[in-house]
Structure formats: C-alpha cells, structure tokens
Amino acid sequence: MKKRLIGLVLGLALVVSTPVNVSANTNDSASTANTGELTETTLVSSEQTNDAAPGEASSEVTQEAPWATTGDSTTTESVSSPSAETTLSSESGSALTGEPKSAPAAESSPSTFQAPKAAQAAAAQEPSVFINGTWYTRNQLKNANIYFSVLETDYEIWTDETFKTLNGFSEDILEETFKATDFFIDEGELYWGLTAANKQFIGYINDDALAGNETASPAGVPYDEQGYVTIKAGTKLLSNVATLIPQKTGQGKTQTLQIYESYTHFNGHDYFALQNNKKQHVGYVDAASVKYNSAAQGDWQKDSAYATISKNYKLYSSFNWQVKNDGAKLLGKTYKITGKYLHFNGSTYYSLQNNKGTWMGYINAAAIKRTTGAQGAWQPESRYVTVMKNYQSYKNFDKWTVSKKAAALKQRTYKVTGKYVHFNGSTYYSMQDNKKNWLGYINAAATYKGKGPQGYYISCNKKVKVTSKNYNLYSNFDWKVKGNTKYRLNKTYVAKTMYRHFNGSLYYSLYTPGGSWIGYLNAAAVK
C-alpha cells in the first residue's frame, strides 16, 4: 500500500520523496530529495528560523526509524519537540501538510535534511495535499478532478469534522466512485470529503477506506469481473471508459463477449470491459444496456424460422454439451426454430422443435439450412417415380395452389429433380415430364420409386394379342433385344404387369399361357 505524507507545519515542512542517507545540510541534498515521487514517510525536525528566541534550547527526541537501511544494526533520526514542525504518516499515495494545534517555535539544532523548495513554499501556507504531482489546498481541491473508489469496509462516514454525526459506513458505498472535494486531518489521520455526481456531499471518510486509489479518471478503479454479455445491433460500445467516447467502428454486430473487468463510474453507471474469444479487447459497455450472463452462450434470443438439417451435427440438451439427439438420424428433416444463442465460442445455436411441439435440442447453425417457409430447404434428388395414388400436385407451399389434378398424374412416370422435407412431416417431390415441363410438387406418399425411367410396375393380369410384326421384345429396359413379334404375330399372351415409361410409352411384361416369360413389349404392338 502506498504511503501518504501528512505534515503539521509551523515553519518549514520537509517532504522527502525517498529515504536518503544522513548527510550534511547542503543545497545538494535538498535538490536530490525533490523527485516528485512519494514512496515513504519521514519524521524529522524543523530548521531553526530567524524569529526563534536566541538562546532557547531545543528539546530533541531520538526515535528509531525501522524503515531506514544503514550498515548499523539500529538507525535513529532527530525529532523536534511537539512545538516544532512534524511530518506524520498515513496509509495512501499523496502528501499533506497542516497547521499544529499550538506551541511557539523553539530553537532547535539544524535539521538532518533540507526540504525541497517547492515543498517549503507549499507547506508554509494553508494545509495542502500532494496528489499526482500537484499540491492542492482545500479550496483548490474543490475544483480539481480527483476521484476515489471506496474499497474497504468498516469505516465510518461523518457529516463534518467534529465526528458528531454519522452518515453511514463505507460498505454502504463500497466500490462506488466519488470526487474528492475536501480533506482535513485529525490526530495524524487524513479524512477525505467525497461528493457524488449530483453534487450531493456524501461525507468525510478515513483515507484508509480508499486504499490510496486516487485517480484523475472519473471511471474509478477497475474491478475483476467474470461473465458474458450479448451485444445487439442497438448496443453502444465505448472506446474510452473515462470520457465515454463511443466507438466509430464495431457498432451493430450482434455477438456474445466476455467481461473481464468492471468500473463503477462517477456518473453512477457500471461499465464492463469486454473481450472476444481471442482475448482481444473490444470496448466498454454500459452495464444497464446489456443483460449479464454467467454462462458463455449469452442471451436467449427469440427467433422464428425453419431449419433443415443438412450436416451430421449432434443436438444438445444444454451448453454443458450433453447430447440429446444424434444428427445422423435427423439429416434432411425440417424443424421449427424457436430461438437461438450467439455463443462466446463464435457459433450460433438454434433451438429446434418438431411439428408436435417436442423439443429436439440445440444445434450449431452450421449444420442447418434456414428457411422462412415450412417446407424447409430445397434438397437435390434424382429419381423416377410412378404416381400410384390419387394425389394432386401443387405450385407452392404457402397457398397450396393446385398444379395438376390427380387423374392427370396417376399411373404415369415422372422424373424427380428435387424435394422438400416439410415441417408437417411429409416429403414433396418436384416433378417434370419427358419434355421438361414442370408438373408441381407432389406428396411422396403418392408415388412409388422405379428402378429406372420405366417407373414402377403396375399389375394388370390381362390377355393381349400381338397384332404387329415390327416390334422387338426386350429382356430389360436397357433395351437388350430378347425377340421379335414377327414370329409371334396373332398369338395371345398374358400381360401380368405393365410399366408406364418416362418416354411416354406403355410396356407389358408378357407370359405364355404356360407361364414362360417372353419379355417386355410396347403396348402399341398388341390389342
């Protein structure tokens, strides 16, 4: 803890910046002592003045100086009688001089040290205090910008110098910052008069309660603080916590930052010092403009959209990273976003629920495709399907405008170019015909997947007669020839199944009456 020098001055005050060796009384020793830095307090006698009574003997006391360092095992220094000038010490970081209560000056032996001239001039006048390289009288302090933060408990606050009326205790204003507008000393103890930003005088408090933290900054002293805040678009970041100057850049970016210090400003507001996840200082923020969080995920933020899971990321039940759902089982499905967290780690986490209101967990935004529509995200798909049920197709998902009637689509094969896995639980295929005409979105439940462009087989079990001799029979839909109709003209076969091919033709799968399969034949060759 720093030392503050307090002097009761009758003649000349002696202020020593650092302890020095005892030497002859010379001008050189005086100039050496005046460094402007106050690190120790000395207790010394005053020099004989011209108006001291001739022949008067001084009363001298020898006192041990435990802080002094010499070659001897003990060190002493000269101290005048109570009537002579005395320098006293208190705990803090400035120097102060004041008038003694009484007693005329007595002639004393020459002082061991010579006071610096600046100190002599200041001390010879009214009581003054030395703070941050400058002397202040009580009147001068009123207009100075000196601030203290209250750091210690169990100290009384007094309304005046008489100690008759108690105005509270230091714990009532702990860690708050005030302006020092007055001071006095009593029995070697320094008391500061503190004033709030609204110019209300708080009272006088012992210097020890302030722990020597005087500063020219109205922000006061920094306190260790741990926590997180989410900075939103309208949050004002400050570049300087003392002057409260706003940043010219960095405004408007929504993010969660870490608090590493806090200040209780003279204006009564608390301010947080913020850093990012790379430990880079970002700025300061008024604590009243943000919500404090002890957890790194930051603020819960309402959100409303839809998310289609596109990557294999886990879903978590908390930010202790307990797994709630395996992302691999949910790939391609669409869920509703109900809110989000902008985590300090730099990632955004969405809270998802299904169409029954069941909460699915938190998922990293990198794993989803966000959409405004409940159909979710477009997903590429390439396959051939045959419409087997009476479902119509749609042009859109907001108004469900019909694109094609069910009768126009049934038992026909189309190419699927993509799909939506809708929040309602259904998958919708986007279909086109062999001329690339778009037919709309159809519920996948209405279709059967074909092994190729032939589509899915359709049961028929009917007898057909070959009427044309110019058609091939095929063993597959890669068009491997199995036979020709010219050898089967006018013969009757059983068509057990048929395929409505994507190319627009109908193909029968033909069997002999005895049950032997003869191949696939275009329906145009039979009746």
Side-chain angles (χ1 to χ4, degrees):
M1 186 177 294
K2 295 185 288 182
K3 294 283 187 180
R4 196 187 307 281
L5 300 181
I6 305 172
L8 299 177
V9 181
L10 177 60
L12 298 177
L14 176 63
V15 180
V16 181
S17 61
T18 56
V20 297
N21 292 330
V22 176
S23 62
N25 183 16
T26 67
N27 291 334
D28 290 341
S29 64
S31 62
T32 303
N34 188 17
T35 66
E37 275 188 42
L38 302 178
T39 59
E40 292 289 350
T41 300
T42 60
L43 191 61
V44 298
S45 65
S46 64
E47 188 177 1
Q48 179 178 344
T49 61
N50 291 333
D51 53 349
E56 278 190 10
S58 66
S59 174
E60 220 171 51
V61 180
T62 300
Q63 176 177 319
E64 183 178 357
W67 45 264
T69 303
T70 68
D72 299 330
S73 59
T74 60
T75 304
T76 62
E77 59 175 332
S78 297
V79 182
S80 67
S81 67
S83 63
E85 171 199 312
T86 308
T87 301
L88 305 176
S89 109
S90 76
E91 299 291 322
S92 199
S94 63
L96 181 146
T97 61
E99 292 293 335
K101 294 181 179 178
S102 60
E107 180 179 291
S108 63
S109 59
S111 170
T112 307
F113 299 105
Q114 178 72 25
K117 292 182 180 180
Q120 294 176 15
Q125 302 174 15
E126 60 181 303
S128 56
V129 63
F130 187 75
I131 304 175
N132 298 331
T134 304
W135 286 96
Y136 297 96
T137 64
R138 294 180 74 170
N139 284 332
Q140 289 170 338
L141 188 64
K142 296 181 189 301
N143 298 317
N145 291 316
I146 304 299
Y147 302 88
F148 284 97
S149 298
V150 180
L151 301 181
E152 304 292 340
T153 60
D154 300 325
Y155 283 87
E156 299 92 344
I157 303 171
W158 303 98
T159 58
D160 56 35
E161 303 174 37
T162 64
F163 302 108
K164 291 181 179 179
T165 306
L166 191 65
N167 199 33
F169 295 90
S170 58
E171 48 265 42
D172 300 332
I173 55 173
L174 192 66
E175 298 186 353
E176 294 184 33
T177 301
F178 300 95
K179 190 173 184 180
T181 54
D182 196 9
F183 67 88
F184 73 87
I185 57 172
D186 183 81
E187 297 184 358
E189 295 288 333
L190 174 60
Y191 292 83
W192 292 99
L194 303 181
T195 299
N198 62 2
K199 298 185 178 181
Q200 178 186 359
F201 185 66
I202 302 301
Y204 293 96
I205 192 169
N206 193 295
D207 177 68
D208 289 343
L210 311 178
N213 68 83
E214 70 273 4
T215 174
S217 169
V221 298
Y223 302 102
D224 288 337
E225 187 86 35
Q226 294 295 319
Y228 301 88
V229 296
T230 300
I231 303 299
K232 299 182 176 68
T235 306
K236 181 190 294 184
L237 285 176
L238 306 172
S239 60
N240 189 304
V241 71
T243 59
L244 307 181
I245 297 173
Q247 287 186 357
K248 293 182 180 179
T249 60
Q251 305 288 342
K253 181 180 179 182
T254 302
Q255 57 184 320
T256 296
L257 300 170
Q258 186 177 41
I259 303 165
Y260 67 92
E261 282 181 344
S262 66
Y263 295 80
T264 300
H265 199 282
F266 175 59
N267 66 13
H269 290 228
D270 290 327
Y271 293 87
F272 294 139
L274 305 177
Q275 65 183 10
N276 61 21
N277 57 17
K278 296 179 181 177
K279 296 189 179 300
Q280 297 168 331
H281 175 75
V282 175
Y284 304 92
V285 68
D286 190 330
S289 69
V290 293
K291 179 182 176 182
Y292 172 88
N293 288 286
S294 59
Q297 70 265 22
D299 288 354
W300 164 261
Q301 300 181 54
K302 288 184 178 180
D303 201 353
S304 182
Y306 296 90
T308 301
I309 298 177
S310 58
K311 293 181 182 178
N312 183 11
Y313 280 45
K314 293 178 173 62
L315 284 86
Y316 301 100
S317 60
S318 70
F319 289 99
N320 293 324
W321 312 116
Q322 295 175 323
V323 176
K324 183 173 178 63
N325 279 299
D326 186 355
K329 297 178 181 178
L330 306 178
L331 275 173
K333 295 183 178 179
T334 300
Y335 298 94
K336 185 171 178 60
I337 296 172
T338 59
K340 65 185 177 183
Y341 289 96
L342 275 63
H343 200 283
F344 178 61
N345 65 16
S347 296
T348 296
Y349 293 85
Y350 288 121
S351 180
L352 305 182
Q353 69 176 28
N354 65 16
N355 57 9
K356 296 178 181 177
T358 303
W359 184 57
M360 306 303 295
Y362 302 115
I363 191 169
N364 193 311
I368 66 102
K369 291 183 178 178
R370 178 188 172 108
T371 65
T372 56
Q375 73 273 14
W378 167 265
Q379 301 180 53
E381 186 79 16
S382 182
R383 64 169 66 186
Y384 294 93
V385 296
T386 301
V387 179
M388 302 293 288
K389 297 180 181 179
N390 292 321
Y391 281 64
Q392 54 197 10
S393 64
Y394 301 95
K395 292 181 179 180
N396 50 54
F397 292 104
D398 52 354
K399 298 180 180 179
W400 298 101
T401 306
V402 174
S403 177
K404 296 293 180 182
K405 296 287 187 179
L409 300 173
K410 191 174 181 181
Q411 293 191 350
R412 284 173 172 80
T413 300
Y414 301 100
K415 186 175 182 179
V416 173
T417 58
K419 67 180 179 181
Y420 290 95
V421 181
H422 201 284
F423 177 62
N424 64 17
S426 296
T427 297
Y428 293 86
Y429 291 139
S430 179
M431 300 188 307
Q432 66 180 26
D433 64 18
N434 59 3
K435 293 178 178 150
K436 296 187 177 181
N437 296 313
W438 184 63
L439 302 172
Y441 305 112
I442 193 168
N443 194 316
T447 69
Y448 287 2
K449 179 181 178 181
K451 292 181 179 180
Q454 71 271 23
Y456 194 80
Y457 73 89
I458 303 168
S459 296
C460 56
N461 278 319
K462 67 178 182 177
K463 291 180 180 181
V464 295
K465 183 179 180 179
V466 177
T467 58
S468 177
K469 61 180 180 180
N470 296 319
Y471 284 81
N472 290 328
L473 286 98
Y474 301 99
S475 61
N476 56 43
F477 288 101
D478 291 327
W479 313 118
K480 182 178 179 180
V481 176
K482 185 175 174 62
N484 191 279
T485 58
K486 67 180 179 178
Y487 303 110
R488 300 180 186 275
L489 190 63
N490 296 322
K491 291 184 179 181
T492 300
Y493 298 93
V494 177
K496 290 187 177 182
T497 59
M498 64 181 181
Y499 292 86
R500 187 76 69 176
H501 200 284
F502 179 64
N503 64 18
S505 297
L506 177 66
Y507 293 86
Y508 289 123
S509 180
L510 299 181
Y511 291 80
T512 66
S516 297
W517 184 63
I518 65 170
Y520 300 112
L521 180 63
N522 193 313
V526 302
K527 287 186 179 178

